[in-house]
Amino acid sequence: MSDANEYHHQHGHHEGDTCQCRSATVTVGQTLDEMDFERGIWSAAIYNDIHRIKDFIQKGDVDRRDNGGYTALHYAARHGHNEICRLLLDANCNVNAKTKGGATPLHRASMMGHKNIVDMLLRSNAKVDLQDEDGQTALHRSAAKGLVEISKSLIRMSNDLKSIQDKKGRIPYDLIPSGNEELKRLLAI
């Protein structure tokens, strides 16, 4: 009998020929979808990995979607990665790609306060009046966060955004946090 087996027999880990030892094996809890995500263009966009993004662009993989319908541009816009956004836009990615919930990269950048990216998306012909599944535009999102400068950029493209109602009948003005008088003046109809 080996030293390990002898130890287990002497210390009660075996009954007869049946091993009662606990496995020290660590299981990996990552699904195939999660591993695909980590290896994909989306994680490169999140982590601002310019070299990997360039590799994906070279392969023509700029508009690939994850399980939620998000593209790399959605992630880069949300995380404020200017250079990644520029590279993706220069590679002719879909600036108006919608997730399963209807969010566009403009929605994501607007709600996170990334004005440089909002302006970059607008220069790349992002549609300002697209609504998500809740009926909200990027202006609804920026108004709800109290973001004056982003709201200005959006209404510069279309003043009509101020009167678009979401599915609850709210216009962007209705979502402004209390005390933000500058934004209330800006979005008043």
Side-chain angles (χ1 to χ4, degrees), residues 80-184:
H81 299 313
N82 292 323
E83 181 67 11
I84 299 285
C85 289
R86 188 191 59 74
L87 288 168
L88 292 167
L89 291 166
D90 287 349
N92 296 316
C93 71
N94 182 357
V95 70
N96 294 307
K98 285 186 154 193
T99 65
K100 289 180 180 178
T104 65
L106 186 60
H107 282 95
R108 309 273 290 170
S110 295
M111 73 180 190
M112 297 308 295
H114 301 304
K115 184 171 183 325
N116 290 341
I117 293 174
V118 167
D119 291 340
M120 183 186 315
L121 294 169
L122 293 173
R123 284 190 307 272
S124 297
N125 299 316
K127 295 179 182 174
V128 294
D129 59 347
L130 293 179
Q131 294 172 274
D132 64 15
E133 68 182 0
D134 296 321
Q136 294 193 345
T137 64
L139 184 59
H140 284 89
R141 299 280 186 97
S142 67
K145 296 282 186 147
L147 302 169
V148 175
E149 294 306 313
I150 289 178
S151 297
K152 284 180 183 178
S153 290
L154 295 168
I155 61 172
R156 227 178 269 125
M157 299 302 290
S158 173
N159 201 49
D160 293 340
L161 289 174
K162 293 195 251 182
S163 59
I164 295 177
Q165 294 183 356
D166 67 11
K167 288 189 176 176
K168 293 182 179 179
R170 300 173 302 183
I171 58 173
Y173 181 91
D174 298 331
L175 303 174
I176 299 171
S178 62
N180 194 329
E181 298 307 316
E182 183 181 1
L183 191 55
K184 284 183 181 182

Side-chain angles (χ1 to χ4, degrees), residues 3 6 17 20 26 35 41 50-51 61 70 75 81 83 101 105 108 118 121 136 141 154 168 172 182-184 187:
D3 289 339
E6 180 64 28
D17 290 330
Q20 301 296 320
V26 177
M35 290 189 301
I41 191 170
I50 292 170
H51 297 293
D61 207 11
Y70 291 91
Y75 287 109
H81 299 313
E83 181 67 11
R108 309 273 290 170
V118 167
L121 294 169
Q136 294 193 345
R141 299 280 186 97
L154 295 168
K168 293 182 179 179
E182 183 181 1
L183 191 55
K184 284 183 181 182
L187 298 184

Side-chain angles (χ1 to χ4, degrees), residues 37-57 72 75-76 79-85 87-88:
F37 184 91
E38 286 299 316
R39 287 190 301 260
I41 191 170
W42 317 286
S43 69
I46 289 170
Y47 297 117
N48 204 24
D49 190 335
I50 292 170
H51 297 293
R52 281 184 57 214
I53 287 292
K54 287 179 178 179
D55 288 342
F56 283 109
I57 289 171
Y75 287 109
H79 289 278
H81 299 313
N82 292 323
E83 181 67 11
I84 299 285
C85 289
L87 288 168
L88 292 167

Side-chain angles (χ1 to χ4, degrees), residues 22 24 62 80 122:
R22 294 179 194 235
V62 294
L122 293 173

